[in-house]
């Protein structure tokens, strides 16, 4: 067998093997390259964890990798917070899942498993705020129900 035939056979087998491989990855190679190029170096280790979350788009993953300081605890909080998103509840206010992810990213340092419900309530309010740090630092104060007392604008009512 000549050297040329040997290399042709090797390349043919390699291309056949490459065609048989199933990566199952939902992002294209160009999207992956873009996400990795814009990511913080310390966040690269969390790329696979974020990519396995089916509700996150390439844009969401790229935002989280480039703009948020991540840790395993924050990834778990992100997973739990993502599960709280119900499209029918948020769509009425015109909020998409990406809006929800941006708000998670803006508040991730103040989020924990205990205050996620308060966070969800804050996000559901129709507002343009992204930073809920004061409310999330003391969630009990925000969760208190206020008593509604009837009050009148005048003291005496005269009836003729």
């Amino acid at each position: 067998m000549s050297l040329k035939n040997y290399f042709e056979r090797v390349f043919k087998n390699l291309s056949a093997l490459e065609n048989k491989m199933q990566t199952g990855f939902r992002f294209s190679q160009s999207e992956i390259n873009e996400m990795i190029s814009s990511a913080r170096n310390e966040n690269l280790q969390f790329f696979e964890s974020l990519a396995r979350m089916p509700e996150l788009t390439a844009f969401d993953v790229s935002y989280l990798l480039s703009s948020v300081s991540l840790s395993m605890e924050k990834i778990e909080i992100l997973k739990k917070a993502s599960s709280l998103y119900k499209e029918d509840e948020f769509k009425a206010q015109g909020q998409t899942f990406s809006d929800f992810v941006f708000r998670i990213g803006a508040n991730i340092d103040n989020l924990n498993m205990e205050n996620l419900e308060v966070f969800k309530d804050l996000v559901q309010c129709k507002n343009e705020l992204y930073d809920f740090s004061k409310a999330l630092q003391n969630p009990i104060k925000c969760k208190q129900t206020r008593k509604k007392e009837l009050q009148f604008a005048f003291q005496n009512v005269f009836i003729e």
Side-chain angles (χ1 to χ4, degrees), residues 76-114:
E76 292 302 317
I77 290 170
L78 180 65
K79 287 179 184 178
K80 176 70 174 164
S82 297
S83 70
L84 294 175
Y85 180 83
K86 306 287 185 252
E87 191 169 344
D88 55 329
E89 294 176 8
F90 288 88
K91 201 162 195 159
Q93 289 124 13
Q95 296 182 24
T96 64
F97 184 73
S98 289
D99 293 331
F100 190 69
V101 170
F102 291 154
R103 290 183 184 206
I104 292 170
N107 295 288
I108 195 90
D109 293 327
N110 296 314
L111 287 175
N112 55 42
M113 293 297 182
E114 290 79 36

Side-chain angles (χ1 to χ4, degrees), residues 23-54 56-66 68-72 75 78-79:
T23 59
F25 222 58
R26 61 190 176 109
F27 300 124
S28 68
Q29 189 62 43
S30 63
E31 289 173 327
I32 293 170
N33 290 341
E34 185 178 332
M35 286 185 265
I36 290 174
S37 68
S38 66
R40 293 179 176 182
N41 287 337
E42 63 269 10
N43 288 343
L44 287 175
Q45 61 186 336
F46 303 110
F47 172 72
E48 186 177 348
S49 299
L50 292 173
R52 289 183 186 213
M53 295 176 64
L56 293 178
T57 64
F59 184 70
D60 298 334
V61 173
S62 180
Y63 164 74
L64 291 168
L65 288 173
S66 65
V68 179
S69 179
L70 296 172
S71 67
M72 281 313 290
I75 296 292
L78 180 65
K79 287 179 184 178

